[in-house]
Amino acid sequence: MKSTAFDQRQPEVPSAPPSKRRSLLLGAGVAGLAAIAAKALPVAPTEVAVASAKATAPDQGGGYQLTQHVLRYYETTRI
Protein backbone atom coordinates (compact mmCIF):
# COMPACT_ATOMS: atom_id res chain seq x y z
CA MET A 1 0.00 0.00 0.00
CA LYS A 2 1.25 3.47 -0.85
CA SER A 3 1.83 6.11 1.78
CA THR A 4 -0.88 8.74 1.88
CA ALA A 5 1.28 11.34 3.65
CA PHE A 6 0.90 14.86 2.45
CA ASP A 7 3.66 16.54 0.51
CA GLN A 8 5.19 19.21 2.77
CA ARG A 9 6.49 21.36 -0.08
CA GLN A 10 4.53 24.48 -0.91
CA PRO A 11 3.25 24.63 -4.49
CA GLU A 12 4.84 27.33 -6.59
CA VAL A 13 2.44 30.18 -7.16
CA PRO A 14 3.31 32.59 -9.93
CA SER A 15 3.88 36.06 -8.54
CA ALA A 16 0.99 38.30 -9.47
CA PRO A 17 1.51 41.96 -10.28
CA PRO A 18 0.56 44.30 -7.41
CA SER A 19 -3.12 45.02 -7.37
CA LYS A 20 -4.53 48.48 -8.07
CA ARG A 21 -5.74 48.74 -4.50
CA ARG A 22 -2.23 48.27 -3.16
CA SER A 23 -0.88 50.86 -5.58
CA LEU A 24 -3.58 53.29 -4.48
CA LEU A 25 -2.77 52.79 -0.81
CA LEU A 26 0.95 53.14 -1.48
CA GLY A 27 0.32 56.37 -3.42
CA ALA A 28 -1.84 57.75 -0.63
CA GLY A 29 0.87 56.98 1.91
CA VAL A 30 3.54 58.69 -0.20
CA ALA A 31 1.31 61.73 -0.67
CA GLY A 32 0.71 61.92 3.08
CA LEU A 33 4.42 61.77 3.80
CA ALA A 34 5.08 64.47 1.20
CA ALA A 35 2.47 66.72 2.83
CA ILE A 36 4.03 66.24 6.25
CA ALA A 37 7.50 66.97 4.87
CA ALA A 38 6.28 70.12 3.12
CA LYS A 39 4.64 71.33 6.32
CA ALA A 40 7.84 70.76 8.30
CA LEU A 41 10.05 72.76 5.93
CA PRO A 42 10.83 76.36 6.91
CA VAL A 43 8.87 78.98 5.01
CA ALA A 44 10.40 82.14 3.58
CA PRO A 45 8.71 85.40 4.65
CA THR A 46 6.18 86.64 2.15
CA GLU A 47 5.87 90.07 0.60
CA VAL A 48 2.35 90.53 1.95
CA ALA A 49 3.69 92.10 5.11
CA VAL A 50 5.67 94.63 3.05
CA ALA A 51 2.66 95.48 0.90
CA SER A 52 0.39 95.98 3.91
CA ALA A 53 2.92 98.32 5.53
CA LYS A 54 2.95 100.52 2.41
CA ALA A 55 -0.85 100.74 2.19
CA THR A 56 -1.62 103.29 4.87
CA ALA A 57 -4.76 105.38 5.17
CA PRO A 58 -4.63 108.94 3.79
CA ASP A 59 -4.20 111.78 6.28
CA GLN A 60 -7.41 113.58 5.38
CA GLY A 61 -10.35 111.15 5.46
CA GLY A 62 -11.56 108.56 3.00
CA GLY A 63 -9.72 105.53 1.78
CA TYR A 64 -11.08 105.57 -1.77
CA GLN A 65 -8.63 106.70 -4.39
CA LEU A 66 -9.40 107.21 -8.06
CA THR A 67 -6.50 105.48 -9.80
CA GLN A 68 -5.79 104.50 -13.40
CA HIS A 69 -6.89 100.98 -12.59
CA VAL A 70 -10.27 102.19 -11.29
CA LEU A 71 -10.76 104.50 -14.26
CA ARG A 72 -10.03 101.64 -16.67
CA TYR A 73 -12.58 99.48 -14.85
CA TYR A 74 -15.25 102.16 -15.16
CA GLU A 75 -14.54 102.47 -18.90
CA THR A 76 -14.98 98.71 -19.40
CA THR A 77 -18.37 98.70 -17.66
CA ARG A 78 -19.96 101.29 -19.94
CA ILE A 79 -22.65 99.98 -22.26
Side-chain angles (χ1 to χ4, degrees), residues 1 4 6 20 25-26 28 32 36-38 42-43 47 56-58 66 69 71-73:
M1 190 172 184
T4 58
F6 291 103
K20 291 182 181 180
L25 291 175
L26 179 64
I36 291 171
V43 180
E47 294 183 25
T56 59
L66 192 60
H69 178 265
L71 290 173
R72 187 174 67 220
Y73 170 75

Side-chain angles (χ1 to χ4, degrees), residues 8-23:
Q8 298 295 328
R9 291 180 286 154
Q10 295 290 329
E12 288 187 32
V13 178
S15 61
S19 68
K20 291 182 181 180
R21 187 181 311 164
R22 288 182 185 169
S23 299

Side-chain angles (χ1 to χ4, degrees), residues 1 15-16 24 26 32-33 42 46 50 55 59 61 72 77:
M1 190 172 184
S15 61
L24 176 68
L26 179 64
L33 287 175
T46 60
V50 175
D59 293 335
R72 187 174 67 220
T77 57

Side-chain angles (χ1 to χ4, degrees), residues 46-78:
T46 60
E47 294 183 25
V48 174
V50 175
S52 65
K54 290 180 183 177
T56 59
D59 293 335
Q60 296 180 341
Y64 180 81
Q65 297 176 0
L66 192 60
T67 61
Q68 288 297 102
H69 178 265
V70 174
L71 290 173
R72 187 174 67 220
Y73 170 75
Y74 287 147
E75 289 178 13
T76 60
T77 57
R78 289 186 188 164

